[in-house]
Amino acid sequence: MMAGKLLAEAGMEEGKQVIWIPSYGPEMRGGTAYCTVVIADHPIGSPVINNPVHLIAMNRPSLEKFAPMVQPKGMIIINSSLILITSDRKDVDEYLIPCNKIANDLGNIRGPNMVVLGAYVAASKSVGLDTAEHIIRQEFQKKPQFVDLNVAAMKAGAEAIKEQMAKVN
């Protein structure tokens, strides 16, 4: 949720049209949760997205539920620290990013969402990495001990996906 919220805020910071729709399951903590983020340079006609262009899957149930809906030629980013399978889609770009491992290696056990945010922003270019960093710094300004940890996690995620993209090209 936090990664989606920050992505939406970064889009607004850049003057883009943005929709952020969080969806929580009936459970309080540890329950199913996902969000839809739409960022566009033009007015957004509908917030309902049946076939997204991109998917970030942080757990296996999310991958299994949403991967079939991604448009051909879309992108799926999988948290390979927790998901030991792929989508088996050959018509999308798929990246396996060990978000939890990267965050843990940085000493930021709560930072996998920042890792995937960096990976997504670097791959999609939906907003600038500098803008995402600014939004992270703004979001965590009241908790300064987390600012640099979260920025480092975002940058590590960006580097991780850039390395994978370089191998493909």
PDB file of all heavy atoms in Angstrom, residues 100-128:
ATOM      1  N   ASN A 100      12.673  -8.616  -0.176  1.00  0.00           N
ATOM      2  CA  ASN A 100      12.941  -8.809   1.248  1.00  0.00           C
ATOM      3  C   ASN A 100      14.429  -8.969   1.515  1.00  0.00           C
ATOM      4  O   ASN A 100      14.953  -8.387   2.474  1.00  0.00           O
ATOM      5  CB  ASN A 100      12.176 -10.018   1.781  1.00  0.00           C
ATOM      6  CG  ASN A 100      10.691  -9.791   1.810  1.00  0.00           C
ATOM      7  OD1 ASN A 100      10.068  -9.639   0.754  1.00  0.00           O
ATOM      8  ND2 ASN A 100      10.107  -9.773   2.988  1.00  0.00           N
ATOM      9  N   LYS A 101      15.117  -9.728   0.689  1.00  0.00           N
ATOM     10  CA  LYS A 101      16.554  -9.934   0.878  1.00  0.00           C
ATOM     11  C   LYS A 101      17.315  -8.622   0.751  1.00  0.00           C
ATOM     12  O   LYS A 101      18.180  -8.304   1.581  1.00  0.00           O
ATOM     13  CB  LYS A 101      17.099 -10.950  -0.112  1.00  0.00           C
ATOM     14  CG  LYS A 101      18.601 -11.202   0.061  1.00  0.00           C
ATOM     15  CD  LYS A 101      19.155 -12.141  -0.975  1.00  0.00           C
ATOM     16  CE  LYS A 101      20.620 -12.432  -0.790  1.00  0.00           C
ATOM     17  NZ  LYS A 101      21.458 -11.347  -0.321  1.00  0.00           N
ATOM     18  N   ILE A 102      17.000  -7.854  -0.269  1.00  0.00           N
ATOM     19  CA  ILE A 102      17.680  -6.565  -0.466  1.00  0.00           C
ATOM     20  C   ILE A 102      17.447  -5.657   0.731  1.00  0.00           C
ATOM     21  O   ILE A 102      18.381  -5.063   1.272  1.00  0.00           O
ATOM     22  CB  ILE A 102      17.215  -5.897  -1.777  1.00  0.00           C
ATOM     23  CG1 ILE A 102      17.721  -6.697  -2.992  1.00  0.00           C
ATOM     24  CG2 ILE A 102      17.704  -4.447  -1.849  1.00  0.00           C
ATOM     25  CD1 ILE A 102      17.115  -6.277  -4.321  1.00  0.00           C
ATOM     26  N   ALA A 103      16.205  -5.566   1.171  1.00  0.00           N
ATOM     27  CA  ALA A 103      15.886  -4.711   2.321  1.00  0.00           C
ATOM     28  C   ALA A 103      16.602  -5.207   3.581  1.00  0.00           C
ATOM     29  O   ALA A 103      17.179  -4.409   4.329  1.00  0.00           O
ATOM     30  CB  ALA A 103      14.378  -4.660   2.533  1.00  0.00           C
ATOM     31  N   ASN A 104      16.560  -6.512   3.810  1.00  0.00           N
ATOM     32  CA  ASN A 104      17.232  -7.072   4.993  1.00  0.00           C
ATOM     33  C   ASN A 104      18.729  -6.820   4.958  1.00  0.00           C
ATOM     34  O   ASN A 104      19.337  -6.499   5.982  1.00  0.00           O
ATOM     35  CB  ASN A 104      16.951  -8.570   5.111  1.00  0.00           C
ATOM     36  CG  ASN A 104      15.517  -8.861   5.503  1.00  0.00           C
ATOM     37  OD1 ASN A 104      14.801  -8.005   5.999  1.00  0.00           O
ATOM     38  ND2 ASN A 104      15.084 -10.085   5.256  1.00  0.00           N
ATOM     39  N   ASP A 105      19.337  -6.973   3.783  1.00  0.00           N
ATOM     40  CA  ASP A 105      20.774  -6.727   3.647  1.00  0.00           C
ATOM     41  C   ASP A 105      21.129  -5.276   3.979  1.00  0.00           C
ATOM     42  O   ASP A 105      22.245  -4.992   4.408  1.00  0.00           O
ATOM     43  CB  ASP A 105      21.264  -7.077   2.244  1.00  0.00           C
ATOM     44  CG  ASP A 105      21.273  -8.586   1.975  1.00  0.00           C
ATOM     45  OD1 ASP A 105      21.093  -9.370   2.930  1.00  0.00           O
ATOM     46  OD2 ASP A 105      21.449  -8.965   0.798  1.00  0.00           O
ATOM     47  N   LEU A 106      20.185  -4.372   3.768  1.00  0.00           N
ATOM     48  CA  LEU A 106      20.396  -2.963   4.087  1.00  0.00           C
ATOM     49  C   LEU A 106      20.059  -2.639   5.552  1.00  0.00           C
ATOM     50  O   LEU A 106      20.196  -1.491   5.975  1.00  0.00           O
ATOM     51  CB  LEU A 106      19.536  -2.082   3.171  1.00  0.00           C
ATOM     52  CG  LEU A 106      19.907  -2.078   1.693  1.00  0.00           C
ATOM     53  CD1 LEU A 106      18.829  -1.391   0.881  1.00  0.00           C
ATOM     54  CD2 LEU A 106      21.255  -1.420   1.487  1.00  0.00           C
ATOM     55  N   GLY A 107      19.584  -3.642   6.295  1.00  0.00           N
ATOM     56  CA  GLY A 107      19.181  -3.408   7.674  1.00  0.00           C
ATOM     57  C   GLY A 107      17.808  -2.780   7.796  1.00  0.00           C
ATOM     58  O   GLY A 107      17.494  -2.139   8.791  1.00  0.00           O
ATOM     59  N   ASN A 108      16.976  -2.973   6.790  1.00  0.00           N
ATOM     60  CA  ASN A 108      15.657  -2.347   6.742  1.00  0.00           C
ATOM     61  C   ASN A 108      14.599  -3.433   6.536  1.00  0.00           C
ATOM     62  O   ASN A 108      14.066  -3.592   5.439  1.00  0.00           O
ATOM     63  CB  ASN A 108      15.621  -1.315   5.607  1.00  0.00           C
ATOM     64  CG  ASN A 108      14.350  -0.500   5.583  1.00  0.00           C
ATOM     65  OD1 ASN A 108      13.449  -0.688   6.385  1.00  0.00           O
ATOM     66  ND2 ASN A 108      14.273   0.410   4.624  1.00  0.00           N
ATOM     67  N   ILE A 109      14.277  -4.169   7.590  1.00  0.00           N
ATOM     68  CA  ILE A 109      13.364  -5.309   7.434  1.00  0.00           C
ATOM     69  C   ILE A 109      11.959  -4.893   7.004  1.00  0.00           C
ATOM     70  O   ILE A 109      11.217  -5.704   6.470  1.00  0.00           O
ATOM     71  CB  ILE A 109      13.288  -6.170   8.720  1.00  0.00           C
ATOM     72  CG1 ILE A 109      12.752  -5.362   9.894  1.00  0.00           C
ATOM     73  CG2 ILE A 109      14.631  -6.782   9.040  1.00  0.00           C
ATOM     74  CD1 ILE A 109      12.418  -6.193  11.122  1.00  0.00           C
ATOM     75  N   ARG A 110      11.615  -3.643   7.202  1.00  0.00           N
ATOM     76  CA  ARG A 110      10.297  -3.158   6.775  1.00  0.00           C
ATOM     77  C   ARG A 110      10.358  -2.459   5.418  1.00  0.00           C
ATOM     78  O   ARG A 110       9.406  -1.798   5.015  1.00  0.00           O
ATOM     79  CB  ARG A 110       9.733  -2.214   7.831  1.00  0.00           C
ATOM     80  CG  ARG A 110       9.478  -2.950   9.161  1.00  0.00           C
ATOM     81  CD  ARG A 110       8.827  -2.093  10.174  1.00  0.00           C
ATOM     82  NE  ARG A 110       7.466  -1.781   9.751  1.00  0.00           N
ATOM     83  CZ  ARG A 110       6.695  -0.884  10.340  1.00  0.00           C
ATOM     84  NH1 ARG A 110       7.148  -0.207  11.376  1.00  0.00           N
ATOM     85  NH2 ARG A 110       5.477  -0.654   9.904  1.00  0.00           N
ATOM     86  N   GLY A 111      11.476  -2.620   4.694  1.00  0.00           N
ATOM     87  CA  GLY A 111      11.681  -1.884   3.464  1.00  0.00           C
ATOM     88  C   GLY A 111      11.453  -2.587   2.138  1.00  0.00           C
ATOM     89  O   GLY A 111      11.738  -1.993   1.092  1.00  0.00           O
ATOM     90  N   PRO A 112      10.920  -3.818   2.092  1.00  0.00           N
ATOM     91  CA  PRO A 112      10.703  -4.444   0.778  1.00  0.00           C
ATOM     92  C   PRO A 112       9.831  -3.610  -0.156  1.00  0.00           C
ATOM     93  O   PRO A 112      10.044  -3.591  -1.374  1.00  0.00           O
ATOM     94  CB  PRO A 112      10.031  -5.773   1.117  1.00  0.00           C
ATOM     95  CG  PRO A 112      10.523  -6.098   2.475  1.00  0.00           C
ATOM     96  CD  PRO A 112      10.627  -4.760   3.177  1.00  0.00           C
ATOM     97  N   ASN A 113       8.860  -2.884   0.389  1.00  0.00           N
ATOM     98  CA  ASN A 113       8.000  -2.049  -0.453  1.00  0.00           C
ATOM     99  C   ASN A 113       8.776  -0.887  -1.079  1.00  0.00           C
ATOM    100  O   ASN A 113       8.486  -0.474  -2.197  1.00  0.00           O
ATOM    101  CB  ASN A 113       6.784  -1.548   0.326  1.00  0.00           C
ATOM    102  CG  ASN A 113       7.130  -0.814   1.605  1.00  0.00           C
ATOM    103  OD1 ASN A 113       8.282  -0.775   2.047  1.00  0.00           O
ATOM    104  ND2 ASN A 113       6.131  -0.244   2.235  1.00  0.00           N
ATOM    105  N   MET A 114       9.798  -0.389  -0.391  1.00  0.00           N
ATOM    106  CA  MET A 114      10.625   0.677  -0.967  1.00  0.00           C
ATOM    107  C   MET A 114      11.530   0.115  -2.056  1.00  0.00           C
ATOM    108  O   MET A 114      11.796   0.776  -3.058  1.00  0.00           O
ATOM    109  CB  MET A 114      11.478   1.363   0.107  1.00  0.00           C
ATOM    110  CG  MET A 114      10.685   2.084   1.177  1.00  0.00           C
ATOM    111  SD  MET A 114       9.672   3.430   0.525  1.00  0.00           S
ATOM    112  CE  MET A 114       8.048   2.769   0.818  1.00  0.00           C
ATOM    113  N   VAL A 115      11.983  -1.127  -1.864  1.00  0.00           N
ATOM    114  CA  VAL A 115      12.794  -1.790  -2.890  1.00  0.00           C
ATOM    115  C   VAL A 115      11.981  -1.934  -4.165  1.00  0.00           C
ATOM    116  O   VAL A 115      12.435  -1.574  -5.258  1.00  0.00           O
ATOM    117  CB  VAL A 115      13.296  -3.175  -2.404  1.00  0.00           C
ATOM    118  CG1 VAL A 115      13.973  -3.937  -3.533  1.00  0.00           C
ATOM    119  CG2 VAL A 115      14.240  -3.019  -1.212  1.00  0.00           C
ATOM    120  N   VAL A 116      10.755  -2.440  -4.041  1.00  0.00           N
ATOM    121  CA  VAL A 116       9.940  -2.655  -5.236  1.00  0.00           C
ATOM    122  C   VAL A 116       9.501  -1.328  -5.847  1.00  0.00           C
ATOM    123  O   VAL A 116       9.357  -1.221  -7.070  1.00  0.00           O
ATOM    124  CB  VAL A 116       8.752  -3.596  -4.956  1.00  0.00           C
ATOM    125  CG1 VAL A 116       7.572  -2.888  -4.316  1.00  0.00           C
ATOM    126  CG2 VAL A 116       8.327  -4.313  -6.228  1.00  0.00           C
ATOM    127  N   LEU A 117       9.324  -0.306  -5.031  1.00  0.00           N
ATOM    128  CA  LEU A 117       9.006   1.016  -5.578  1.00  0.00           C
ATOM    129  C   LEU A 117      10.137   1.483  -6.480  1.00  0.00           C
ATOM    130  O   LEU A 117       9.895   1.927  -7.615  1.00  0.00           O
ATOM    131  CB  LEU A 117       8.763   2.020  -4.449  1.00  0.00           C
ATOM    132  CG  LEU A 117       8.543   3.476  -4.885  1.00  0.00           C
ATOM    133  CD1 LEU A 117       7.284   3.613  -5.720  1.00  0.00           C
ATOM    134  CD2 LEU A 117       8.491   4.391  -3.658  1.00  0.00           C
ATOM    135  N   GLY A 118      11.370   1.364  -6.013  1.00  0.00           N
ATOM    136  CA  GLY A 118      12.520   1.761  -6.829  1.00  0.00           C
ATOM    137  C   GLY A 118      12.625   0.938  -8.103  1.00  0.00           C
ATOM    138  O   GLY A 118      12.897   1.475  -9.181  1.00  0.00           O
ATOM    139  N   ALA A 119      12.396  -0.357  -7.976  1.00  0.00           N
ATOM    140  CA  ALA A 119      12.452  -1.226  -9.155  1.00  0.00           C
ATOM    141  C   ALA A 119      11.389  -0.814 -10.170  1.00  0.00           C
ATOM    142  O   ALA A 119      11.670  -0.681 -11.370  1.00  0.00           O
ATOM    143  CB  ALA A 119      12.258  -2.685  -8.733  1.00  0.00           C
ATOM    144  N   TYR A 120      10.178  -0.594  -9.685  1.00  0.00           N
ATOM    145  CA  TYR A 120       9.086  -0.226 -10.586  1.00  0.00           C
ATOM    146  C   TYR A 120       9.342   1.114 -11.268  1.00  0.00           C
ATOM    147  O   TYR A 120       9.176   1.245 -12.485  1.00  0.00           O
ATOM    148  CB  TYR A 120       7.746  -0.191  -9.841  1.00  0.00           C
ATOM    149  CG  TYR A 120       6.636   0.229 -10.759  1.00  0.00           C
ATOM    150  CD1 TYR A 120       6.111  -0.677 -11.679  1.00  0.00           C
ATOM    151  CD2 TYR A 120       6.159   1.532 -10.784  1.00  0.00           C
ATOM    152  CE1 TYR A 120       5.132  -0.286 -12.573  1.00  0.00           C
ATOM    153  CE2 TYR A 120       5.178   1.926 -11.662  1.00  0.00           C
ATOM    154  CZ  TYR A 120       4.670   1.015 -12.558  1.00  0.00           C
ATOM    155  OH  TYR A 120       3.718   1.398 -13.459  1.00  0.00           O
ATOM    156  N   VAL A 121       9.743   2.100 -10.509  1.00  0.00           N
ATOM    157  CA  VAL A 121       9.972   3.431 -11.080  1.00  0.00           C
ATOM    158  C   VAL A 121      11.092   3.373 -12.116  1.00  0.00           C
ATOM    159  O   VAL A 121      10.978   3.957 -13.201  1.00  0.00           O
ATOM    160  CB  VAL A 121      10.276   4.461  -9.967  1.00  0.00           C
ATOM    161  CG1 VAL A 121      10.791   5.769 -10.544  1.00  0.00           C
ATOM    162  CG2 VAL A 121       9.025   4.709  -9.131  1.00  0.00           C
ATOM    163  N   ALA A 122      12.163   2.636 -11.818  1.00  0.00           N
ATOM    164  CA  ALA A 122      13.275   2.535 -12.764  1.00  0.00           C
ATOM    165  C   ALA A 122      12.860   1.832 -14.050  1.00  0.00           C
ATOM    166  O   ALA A 122      13.286   2.219 -15.139  1.00  0.00           O
ATOM    167  CB  ALA A 122      14.447   1.800 -12.118  1.00  0.00           C
ATOM    168  N   ALA A 123      12.026   0.812 -13.933  1.00  0.00           N
ATOM    169  CA  ALA A 123      11.620   0.057 -15.123  1.00  0.00           C
ATOM    170  C   ALA A 123      10.532   0.763 -15.919  1.00  0.00           C
ATOM    171  O   ALA A 123      10.573   0.804 -17.149  1.00  0.00           O
ATOM    172  CB  ALA A 123      11.141  -1.336 -14.721  1.00  0.00           C
ATOM    173  N   SER A 124       9.563   1.317 -15.246  1.00  0.00           N
ATOM    174  CA  SER A 124       8.404   1.904 -15.941  1.00  0.00           C
ATOM    175  C   SER A 124       8.634   3.334 -16.380  1.00  0.00           C
ATOM    176  O   SER A 124       8.012   3.801 -17.329  1.00  0.00           O
ATOM    177  CB  SER A 124       7.174   1.868 -15.033  1.00  0.00           C
ATOM    178  OG  SER A 124       7.305   2.799 -13.963  1.00  0.00           O
ATOM    179  N   LYS A 125       9.483   4.045 -15.647  1.00  0.00           N
ATOM    180  CA  LYS A 125       9.714   5.472 -15.887  1.00  0.00           C
ATOM    181  C   LYS A 125       8.412   6.273 -15.795  1.00  0.00           C
ATOM    182  O   LYS A 125       8.255   7.320 -16.416  1.00  0.00           O
ATOM    183  CB  LYS A 125      10.429   5.700 -17.213  1.00  0.00           C
ATOM    184  CG  LYS A 125      11.804   5.048 -17.270  1.00  0.00           C
ATOM    185  CD  LYS A 125      12.529   5.370 -18.530  1.00  0.00           C
ATOM    186  CE  LYS A 125      13.904   4.781 -18.666  1.00  0.00           C
ATOM    187  NZ  LYS A 125      14.363   3.777 -17.789  1.00  0.00           N
ATOM    188  N   SER A 126       7.465   5.765 -15.005  1.00  0.00           N
ATOM    189  CA  SER A 126       6.191   6.455 -14.831  1.00  0.00           C
ATOM    190  C   SER A 126       6.366   7.780 -14.098  1.00  0.00           C
ATOM    191  O   SER A 126       5.602   8.718 -14.313  1.00  0.00           O
ATOM    192  CB  SER A 126       5.194   5.569 -14.093  1.00  0.00           C
ATOM    193  OG  SER A 126       5.719   5.175 -12.843  1.00  0.00           O
ATOM    194  N   VAL A 127       7.354   7.827 -13.236  1.00  0.00           N
ATOM    195  CA  VAL A 127       7.778   9.061 -12.571  1.00  0.00           C
ATOM    196  C   VAL A 127       9.299   9.001 -12.467  1.00  0.00           C
ATOM    197  O   VAL A 127       9.900   7.942 -12.664  1.00  0.00           O
ATOM    198  CB  VAL A 127       7.159   9.231 -11.150  1.00  0.00           C
ATOM    199  CG1 VAL A 127       5.646   9.337 -11.222  1.00  0.00           C
ATOM    200  CG2 VAL A 127       7.580   8.121 -10.214  1.00  0.00           C
ATOM    201  N   GLY A 128       9.903  10.106 -12.142  1.00  0.00           N
ATOM    202  CA  GLY A 128      11.350  10.131 -12.014  1.00  0.00           C
ATOM    203  C   GLY A 128      11.821   9.571 -10.686  1.00  0.00           C
ATOM    204  O   GLY A 128      11.146   9.713  -9.664  1.00  0.00           O
TER     205      GLY A 128
END
